[in-house]
Amino acid sequence: MGLQENDSRAVLVAEGITHRFDPKEPPIMDGIGFIVNENERIAITGPSGAGKSTLLHIMSGLKNPTQGRVMVDQYWLNRMSDEKLSQYRNQKIGFVYQSDSLLRDFNALENISLPLIIRGERAEIARRHAVHVMSGLNMQTLAQRMPNQLSGGERQRIAIARALITQPVILFADEPTGNLDAANTERVMDTLLAAQKIHPMACVIATHDQSILKYFDRVIDVCTLNGVRN
Ligand SMILES: Nc1ncnc2c1ncn2[C@@H]1O[C@H](COP(=O)(O)OP(=O)(O)OP(=O)(O)O)[C@@H](O)[C@H]1O
Ligand SMILES: [Mg+2]
């Protein structure tokens, strides 16, 4: 697969990622190469419009790049049918969106258990896992709350728990602290660290928030990735 020996711990390899939204315009990213190692925490920074969200969507298989390819845990995403890809994403990849992605008609516990139910797990088993994840992250008291009864920070922490429940190899989060004050930002980041302790996984986060960069092993400005080949 063209990997170097020292890439053996890679959980994600992106090669030659080029993306154009408009064929008449220059690409918004050009020839990006990127490797994420097991359990690594990476922050993707860069100015607004630089392509952080787009890169996260491409790396997590939510969007196909115009050119290039992405491998997650040994499989190239571009080789999969849509059905296989969505199954694979459910198993291997967690994604936390910037703002509310919880289903408003379900309580916190039900929201967390949903990815397992989608995977075909029995409701009772999914519920038991969700209870376990919630107590591991010390958020049992939020279990019965509906999304509109949770603060923004609490909703983000529930979204992290929901991403964790499938035990992904990599978790992406797009500005997970974007709308939060300092205290809640810290709580969300602590939840992420706790999640990684419960289940080792790599984390790749797009952020503007300078205050959270201390939590990461690597901080990468998306603009510096253009033209980097593996
Ligand atoms: N669906 C789309 N169609 C056309 N252009 C798009 C689309 N989505 C994003 N873009 C453009 O691609 C560029 C990168 O957008 P992206 O959302 O990835 O940036 P970002 O770095 O995440 O910005 P922010 O920090 O504001 O979230 C921007 O110029 C944006 O206008
Ligand atoms: Mg963005």
Side-chain angles (χ1 to χ4, degrees), residues 47-54 56-57 98 174-175 206 208:
S48 188
K52 302 180 295 296
S53 297
T54 306
L56 249 51
H57 294 162
Q98 174 169 358
D174 196 356
E175 311 271 4
H208 276 118

Side-chain angles (χ1 to χ4, degrees), residues 2 9 22 33 42-43 60 75 92 98 100 104 129-130 142 149 159 180-181 187 217:
R9 285 177 59 246
D22 181 344
I42 299 178
S60 60
Y75 289 94
K92 302 283 184 183
Q98 174 169 358
D100 294 332
R104 60 175 192 186
H129 278 287
L142 304 178
Q149 299 168 325
L180 305 178
D181 65 16
R187 259 178 227 133
D217 303 314

Side-chain angles (χ1 to χ4, degrees), residues 128-201:
R128 230 179 286 153
H129 278 287
V131 168
H132 180 71
V133 168
M134 286 195 98
S135 64
L137 296 174
N138 202 16
M139 46 172 91
Q140 311 87 309
T141 53
L142 304 178
Q144 304 306 320
R145 301 257 199 101
M146 300 304 281
N148 66 2
Q149 299 168 325
L150 295 163
S151 72
E154 288 165 345
R155 284 199 289 269
Q156 283 305 66
R157 291 167 57 219
I158 299 296
I160 291 168
R162 182 180 55 181
L164 177 70
I165 199 168
T166 56
Q167 307 199 318
V169 297
I170 186 163
L171 174 76
F172 294 95
D174 196 356
E175 311 271 4
T177 61
N179 300 320
L180 305 178
D181 65 16
N184 278 297
T185 291
E186 201 130 306
R187 259 178 227 133
V188 166
M189 291 310 298
D190 287 344
T191 299
L192 256 180
L193 298 191
Q196 264 192 320
K197 284 213 178 89
I198 294 171
H199 169 66
M201 60 187 170

Side-chain angles (χ1 to χ4, degrees), residues 43-50 52-53 98 174-178 205-213:
I44 308 276
T45 60
S48 188
K52 302 180 295 296
S53 297
Q98 174 169 358
D174 196 356
E175 311 271 4
T177 61
I205 289 180
T207 188
H208 276 118
D209 189 346
Q210 299 291 316
S211 77
I212 66 171
L213 299 184

Side-chain angles (χ1 to χ4, degrees), residues 71-178:
M71 184 175 73
V72 174
D73 202 26
Q74 310 301 323
Y75 289 94
W76 294 104
L77 303 184
N78 60 315
R79 297 220 182 126
M80 294 181 194
S81 65
D82 286 353
E83 192 188 348
K84 184 87 182 50
L85 177 62
S86 75
Q87 254 179 29
Y88 195 71
R89 294 188 67 250
N90 175 280
Q91 288 168 10
K92 302 283 184 183
I93 298 171
F95 204 103
V96 175
Y97 295 87
Q98 174 169 358
S99 53
D100 294 332
S101 57
L102 302 181
L103 296 182
R104 60 175 192 186
D105 295 330
F106 295 90
N107 70 27
L109 188 73
E110 290 162 343
N111 264 283
I112 293 170
S113 63
L114 269 177
L116 291 183
I117 289 172
I118 289 168
R119 187 187 273 193
E121 205 61 80
R122 280 183 20 230
E124 185 44 38
I125 293 183
R127 206 187 91 89
R128 230 179 286 153
H129 278 287
V131 168
H132 180 71
V133 168
M134 286 195 98
S135 64
L137 296 174
N138 202 16
M139 46 172 91
Q140 311 87 309
T141 53
L142 304 178
Q144 304 306 320
R145 301 257 199 101
M146 300 304 281
N148 66 2
Q149 299 168 325
L150 295 163
S151 72
E154 288 165 345
R155 284 199 289 269
Q156 283 305 66
R157 291 167 57 219
I158 299 296
I160 291 168
R162 182 180 55 181
L164 177 70
I165 199 168
T166 56
Q167 307 199 318
V169 297
I170 186 163
L171 174 76
F172 294 95
D174 196 356
E175 311 271 4
T177 61

